[in-house]
Amino acid sequence: MSKIKPSKGAPYARILGVGGYRPTRVVPNEVILETIDSSDEWIRSRSGIVTRHWASEEETVAVMSIEASGKAIADAGIDPEQIGAVVVSTVSHFKQTPAVATEIAHKIGAGKPAAFDISAGCAGFGYGLTLAKGMIVEGSAEYVLVIGVERLSDLTDLEDRATAFLFGDGAGAVVVGPSQEPAIGPTVWGSEGDKSETIKQTVAWNDLHVGDVSKLPLDSKGEIKFPAITQEGQAVFRWAVFEMAKVAQQALDAAGIAPEDLDVFIPHQANMRIIDSMVKTLKLPEHVTVARDIESTGNTSAASIPLAMERLLATGQAKSGDTALVIGFGAGLVYAATVVTLP
């Protein structure tokens, strides 16, 4: 017989509060068109994006996260000292170590919580939410702060016609805490590593140390390009439209929720055409509110779902207690979907 005392946490977990931060600078498509041969109409028709936010030098990954976290903590009605863990999903914090989560935890006054970063691309928020739920039910934390944050403008090749218009910056955060009833459903998640080359960083950081410049991409001025995100657009589009609709349906089934029982659908804000295609494939009723934050925020990767959630609640398009399906998908290729009760 085991001598280990069983863990004891809350019976269930729920999202208690949400907060977001969008950088001050708003960048219209006209700015993007200064470096690529395209048109505003083409960008809108291909992606649905009209504007996006780009961070200033002062709006770092940590600064944006702290702003979003403060709002989420206030929305949850708890004190920062009650947070037992901080989970940050990002691919654009350029210090390999220490984790930016530790800096954020300190600066929001969280005391000495567990704090770590994860890298799961555009599915990162779903991964973080699943980890938070597990901590609360297992009993290792009572409240967990989950942050999705990106400065993708730092990883954007402005001469790449396929991606220059896609990415934006921002931070979204939620506080996850105990619940007496199910409010975060089972997560359907996974990866398809055989497709990992379809979304990737152009060159590895250590490639910048090589002496042979011929191995590195150059810009139109002949200067070495900073590493950027690149993708095979059509392959990603087909995968997202056909495979992720299946994953979304699996998440509904796992939670025992029918499409007509949903109030809100919050997919990763990757592309408006992908969102519309998923709505059609899932046969969502007209009463279901669909997040289309991408129009004014762009693709913010791990930050896109909490940012979209925050905006829906702030504008009254969604309300506390609504049942929402959330799904993230991206580089890896990785994905995560679940049904949640909105805070």
Side-chain angles (χ1 to χ4, degrees):
M1 184 175 179
S2 175
K3 298 179 180 179
I4 299 173
K5 182 180 178 180
S7 57
K8 185 178 181 181
Y12 306 104
R14 68 177 298 130
I15 300 174
L16 298 172
V18 60
Y21 180 83
R22 293 172 172 82
T24 303
R25 184 186 178 193
V26 177
V27 180
N29 289 337
E30 285 73 20
V31 172
I32 308 298
L33 297 174
E34 294 174 3
T35 52
I36 61 171
D37 180 16
S38 188
S39 68
D40 177 61
E41 180 182 4
W42 186 87
I43 293 174
R44 293 187 189 215
S45 65
R46 296 279 293 184
S47 67
I49 299 172
V50 179
T51 60
R52 74 283 292 147
H53 295 257
W54 282 356
S56 66
E57 185 176 346
E58 293 75 26
E59 291 169 314
T60 64
V61 165
V63 166
M64 292 190 293
S65 297
I66 291 165
E67 290 290 332
S69 298
K71 295 175 184 177
I73 293 167
D75 192 41
I78 67 168
D79 293 325
E81 295 86 354
Q82 294 176 268
I83 294 171
V86 177
V87 183
V88 178
S89 178
T90 184
V91 299
S92 48
H93 174 58
F94 293 152
K95 287 184 178 179
Q96 193 72 37
T97 192
V100 72
T102 58
E103 176 185 351
I104 295 166
H106 170 67
K107 290 185 176 178
I108 63 173
K112 299 180 180 180
F116 57 95
D117 299 349
I118 61 173
S119 176
C122 305
F125 176 75
Y127 276 49
L129 187 64
T130 303
L131 293 173
K133 174 186 174 182
M135 291 182 224
I136 291 160
V137 173
E138 186 269 342
S140 59
E142 185 177 12
Y143 298 98
V144 180
L145 178 64
V146 179
I147 304 166
V149 57
E150 302 291 1
R151 274 182 53 121
L152 294 183
S153 58
D154 291 336
L155 288 168
T156 298
D157 180 353
L158 293 177
E159 295 182 349
D160 182 354
R161 189 173 184 270
T163 61
F165 58 91
L166 283 176
F167 302 120
D169 303 337
V174 298
V175 172
V176 184
S179 174
Q180 293 302 309
E181 60 183 16
I184 300 176
T187 300
V188 177
W189 57 354
S191 64
E192 297 186 29
D194 60 314
K195 301 179 181 67
S196 61
E197 292 295 301
T198 56
I199 306 175
K200 62 181 181 179
Q201 186 171 307
T202 49
V203 294
W205 299 114
N206 60 312
D207 287 341
L208 298 179
H209 293 296
V210 302
D212 186 359
V213 177
S214 65
K215 295 181 180 181
L216 300 173
L218 304 178
D219 63 20
S220 57
K221 298 178 181 178
E223 299 177 350
I224 295 174
K225 286 186 176 182
F226 191 75
I229 298 173
T230 185
Q231 68 175 23
E232 298 174 15
Q234 287 302 314
V236 173
F237 181 86
R238 289 193 297 269
W239 176 77
V241 168
F242 296 108
E243 298 303 321
M244 291 305 98
K246 297 176 185 176
V247 171
Q249 184 60 59
Q250 291 169 13
L252 287 173
D253 293 342
I257 299 292
E260 55 268 25
D261 297 326
L262 275 181
D263 300 303
V264 185
F265 178 42
I266 311 177
H268 164 50
Q269 303 294 292
N271 181 299
M272 194 75 80
R273 292 191 301 153
I274 291 175
I275 294 171
D276 291 339
S277 295
M278 291 182 71
V279 169
K280 183 177 181 180
T281 302
L282 289 168
K283 298 179 181 179
L284 297 183
E286 289 188 8
H287 77 262
V288 176
T289 297
V290 180
R292 291 188 171 87
D293 192 43
I294 188 172
E295 180 179 10
S296 59
T297 307
N299 180 343
T300 56
S301 189
S304 79
I305 289 175
L307 278 174
M309 182 184 296
E310 185 266 346
R311 175 162 280 173
L312 288 176
L313 289 166
T315 58
Q317 297 177 71
K319 63 183 186 299
S320 174
D322 278 352
T323 301
L325 168 64
V326 299
I327 179 170
F329 45 86
L333 294 169
V334 296
Y335 55 87
T338 188
V339 175
V340 303
T341 301
L342 294 183

